[in-house]
Amino acid sequence: MKMESLIGKIRDKNAGQALFLQAMEEVLESLEPVIQEHPEIENLNILERLTEPERQVIFRVAWQDDSGKVHVNRGFRIGFNSALGPYKGGLRFHPSVDLSVVKFLAFEQIFKNSLTGLQIGGAKGGADFSPRGRSDTEVMRFCQSFMNELYRHIGDQTDVPAGDIGVGAREIGFLFGHYKKLTNRYELGTLTGKGEGWGGSEGRKEATGFGCIYFALEMLETRNETLEDKTCVVSGSGNVAIYAIRKIQELGGRVVACSQSDGSLYDPNGIDFQTLRMLKEIERKRLQEYLELHPDAEFREDRKVWDIACDAAFPCATQNEILKEDAESLLKNGCQLVCEGANMPTHPDALRLFRDAGILFGPGKAANAGGVAVSALEMQQNAGWESWSFDRVDNELNKIMKGIHRTCLHFGDRYGAKGDYVTGANIGGFLRVAQAMTAMGVT
Ligand code: NDP
C-alpha cells in the first residue's frame, strides 16, 4: 500500500484522535526512503501493525475525596508494541488525558525506547485526574483505586509503568504499595521511579532533564559550541524542567525563564535553582511565591516563554506548546537550538520553520529518552537486588544519550537528511523494532 493511502486508512480508523495522528504522520512520512529500500516491510505489513496498539485497557476509577464525595475518572493503559521487550512507559495524571493523548505518547515511546538500545517495548497510561490541590490522602485513594484495575495488566516481565506529568515519587509509592498488597508480591521491577532507599534508582529523578542537556551538548559540539554563557529559556517547572535547568547552570548556561500552566517566571539574574526546587519539588507551591525571595524577578500571566530573547530553548512542559508564531519569535530573537524535554512540544508548522532555518533541533523521542533509559537501569538494579551509585547511573545515562545522538546522525545522513535529527530518530528507532517484528513472525 502506498504511504499516502496507508496514512489515510489510519486517519479514518482513528478519526478524532488528533494528537495520535500528528505523531503517527510525522513518523510515517520520515520512513518513505526506508520502505523503498526494504520491500519486506510492506510485504509483512509492518507499518499497519506498528500503528495499531497491541492492547488497550480503559477503566473506571472511582474514589472518595476527604469530604466523602465520590468522584469518577477514566483510566487508560496502552501496550503499543512489545517487540523489543516488556511494555514500558509512564503514567500521566492530568485533566487533559484521553485516548488520543495516551496513544500518541505510547506510540512515541516505541521509537524512544528503541533508540536507547535497551530491551523495552512502548507503552503509556494515565487518567483524567489532577493531583494538583488534592491532599496526600486523596491522591493515595485515587492511586489505590487506579491500581485496583491496573494490577491485572502489569508485571516486571509484562508491562512496567513509571511517572509522567502529575505522577512523581509520591504517586509511584502509593501505586506500588497497593500493587504489593493486591498481588502479595514485592516485585520491585513492576514500577520505576520509586523512592531512593526502597528500590528506586539514584539519578532517576534527574535523568530526563540531565539527559536532554547531554543530548543538546552533543548537538552543539557538531558546531564547535557549548552551553557556556548561553542564555536559555525552559518551559514548565516540573520534574524535567527543574533538572534541565540545574544541568544547564552546571555547564555555565544562564536560564532566565521557566513556566507553569497559568504563567511564566522571568528572572534577569538567572533562575535560582535551590529556590525553584524547594518551591516545586518539596513544597508543591506555585511559581508566584518565587518573587518573595527574588524581588527582581517577574511573574507574567502569559505562560509562554518563547518571546524572551535566548540562544537556546528547552520545551519541558507539554505537547504542542511551540506553535508557528512561537517559532517565529524564537528565530527572530536569534535562538540557535531547540531541544525537547517534553513529548511532542513542537507543532509541525513550527518544526517546519526550525528545519528551514537550519537551527539545531533535538526531537523529544531522542532528547528526552534519558528518563526511560534510567528507568530500565532501575529495572536492571531491581532484578539483581542491587543499588548503583549516582555517578555510575549518570555515567551510563551520558553514554546512552551520546549513543542516541550518534544513531540519529547516522540514520539522518544515511537516508539523505544530514543533520536532521527528526528523520534520524524516526528511522533509527523504527528499524530496530521492524527487525524484531520481522524475526518474530506475524503475531
Ligand atoms: P510534571 O508534572 O513534573 O511538570 C509539568 C510541568 O509543565 C508543570 O510545571 C506544569 O505546570 C507545566 N505545564 C503543563 N502544561 C503547561 C502549559 N500548557 N504551559 C506551560 N506549562 C505547562 O511533568 P514532567 O516534568 O514529568 O513532564 C513534562 C514533559 O516531559 C511531558 O511532556 C512528559 O511527557 C515529558 N517527559 C517526562 C519524563 C519524565 O521522566 N518525567 C520522561 C520523558 C518525557 P502546572 O503545575 O501549572 O500544571
Side-chain angles (χ1 to χ4, degrees):
M1 198 187 300
K2 285 256 168 306
M3 188 66 89
E4 217 178 303
S5 44
L6 175 62
I7 290 177
K9 185 173 175 188
I10 299 168
R11 281 195 150 276
D12 291 345
K13 219 172 165 180
N14 299 282
Q17 296 174 12
L19 289 168
F20 168 61
L21 294 172
Q22 181 182 326
M24 175 279 294
E25 273 187 47
E26 183 210 281
V27 172
L28 262 51
E29 280 166 5
S30 303
L31 298 180
E32 283 273 16
V34 184
I35 310 306
Q36 282 164 19
E37 202 175 275
H38 292 276
E40 72 278 11
I41 291 172
E42 197 174 339
N43 296 341
L44 292 168
N45 209 358
I46 297 276
L47 294 183
E48 203 172 336
R49 285 159 62 199
L50 191 65
T51 47
E52 183 67 20
E54 289 175 7
R55 64 184 206 185
Q56 312 182 53
V57 189
I58 303 181
F59 49 99
R60 187 187 72 193
V61 188
W63 58 283
Q64 274 180 296
D65 67 20
D66 289 342
S67 71
K69 187 170 173 227
V70 178
H71 299 260
V72 177
N73 288 98
R74 187 171 287 173
F76 300 86
R77 186 69 183 167
I78 309 248
F80 220 120
N81 191 290
S82 60
L84 291 179
Y87 301 121
K88 181 88 197 84
L91 298 171
R92 177 176 290 193
F93 290 170
H94 191 270
S96 64
V97 166
D98 61 15
L99 187 58
S100 176
V101 168
V102 181
K103 265 177 82 174
F104 114 68
L105 290 165
F107 183 70
E108 291 280 287
Q109 199 80 42
I110 303 171
F111 308 97
K112 180 189 309 195
N113 293 3
S114 167
L115 283 167
T116 65
L118 303 168
Q119 295 302 132
I120 38 182
K124 204 81 185 190
D128 57 351
F129 164 76
S130 175
R132 175 142 43 107
R134 291 289 173 195
S135 68
D136 285 354
T137 49
E138 288 176 324
V139 172
M140 180 182 75
R141 281 195 293 274
F142 178 83
C143 288
Q144 291 176 341
S145 179
F146 187 82
M147 190 51 85
N148 278 337
E149 176 59 37
L150 188 71
Y151 88 97
R152 298 172 221 285
H153 310 287
I154 61 175
D156 59 1
Q157 303 296 316
T158 320
D159 184 352
V160 183
D164 190 77
I165 291 181
V167 179
R170 175 183 62 171
E171 289 74 17
I172 293 292
F174 293 146
L175 290 163
F176 182 79
H178 204 54
Y179 178 80
K180 175 169 78 67
K181 180 96 182 161
L182 290 167
T183 59
N184 196 32
R185 288 171 70 85
Y186 205 103
E187 205 180 75
L188 272 178
T190 298
L191 285 149
T192 59
K194 299 178 291 291
E196 289 165 19
W198 61 273
S201 177
E202 296 256 358
R204 174 60 187 90
K205 74 172 186 289
E206 293 86 352
T208 310
F210 279 20
C212 175
I213 305 309
Y214 294 149
F215 192 87
L217 271 189
E218 293 300 303
M219 291 200 293
L220 285 164
E221 204 176 298
T222 64
R223 297 188 179 178
N224 295 319
E225 298 257 16
T226 67
L227 276 171
E228 182 116 38
D229 294 329
K230 296 272 189 305
T231 300
C232 304
V233 296
V234 175
S235 65
S237 49
N239 172 257
V240 179
I242 291 174
Y243 289 98
I245 291 172
R246 166 136 182 226
K247 188 49 83 178
I248 294 169
Q249 292 178 341
E250 263 179 41
L251 294 165
R254 204 166 63 97
V255 182
V256 294
C258 65
S259 63
Q260 61 193 17
S261 53
D262 58 356
S264 54
L265 181 71
Y266 173 68
D267 188 340
N269 303 318
I271 301 283
D272 182 73
F273 171 75
Q274 289 307 346
T275 308
L276 180 71
R277 178 172 170 264
M278 180 61 74
L279 279 179
K280 301 302 281 193
E281 195 177 88
I282 299 172
E283 296 174 350
R284 296 178 190 276
K285 289 191 173 153
R286 307 299 289 163
L287 284 176
Q288 286 87 330
E289 310 242 359
Y290 181 96
L291 306 188
E292 281 177 23
L293 289 168
H294 302 277
D296 288 348
E298 188 189 324
F299 183 80
R300 312 184 316 167
E301 305 257 304
D302 180 1
R303 68 179 185 212
K304 295 213 171 176
V305 292
W306 316 126
D307 60 344
I308 297 169
C310 65
D311 302 303
F314 298 88
C316 295
T318 193
Q319 59 274 5
N320 286 340
E321 52 170 318
I322 301 186
L323 303 177
K324 186 167 175 240
E325 57 272 24
D326 304 316
E328 282 164 354
S329 283
L330 284 165
L331 292 171
K332 187 174 73 157
N333 289 327
C335 178
Q336 285 300 316
L337 173 144
V338 174
C339 193
E340 298 184 330
N343 282 307
M344 210 168 73
T346 308
H347 188 272
D349 294 341
L351 177 56
R352 226 163 277 127
L353 291 183
F354 292 145
R355 274 174 152 159
D356 290 349
I359 66 163
L360 292 167
F361 181 83
K365 62 171 77 69
N368 72 32
V372 74
V374 172
S375 273
L377 301 182
E378 185 171 318
M379 290 162 71
Q380 194 177 332
Q381 291 169 69
N382 293 159
W385 296 97
E386 287 177 2
S387 183
W388 300 353
S389 68
F390 179 88
D391 286 349
R392 178 170 173 191
V393 174
D394 191 41
N395 203 24
E396 288 294 321
L397 169 66
N398 201 339
K399 272 199 272 182
I400 291 169
M401 296 315 294
K402 284 184 168 154
I404 296 174
H405 180 265
R406 269 196 307 277
T407 302
C408 294
L409 273 191
H410 168 77
F411 284 102
D413 205 6
R414 161 87 178 70
Y415 285 96
K418 198 172 168 52
D420 178 345
Y421 291 90
V422 175
T423 303
N426 288 339
I427 295 180
F430 166 75
L431 279 173
R432 197 169 159 237
V433 181
Q435 277 154 8
M437 287 175 75
T438 305
M440 289 176 194
V442 179
T443 59

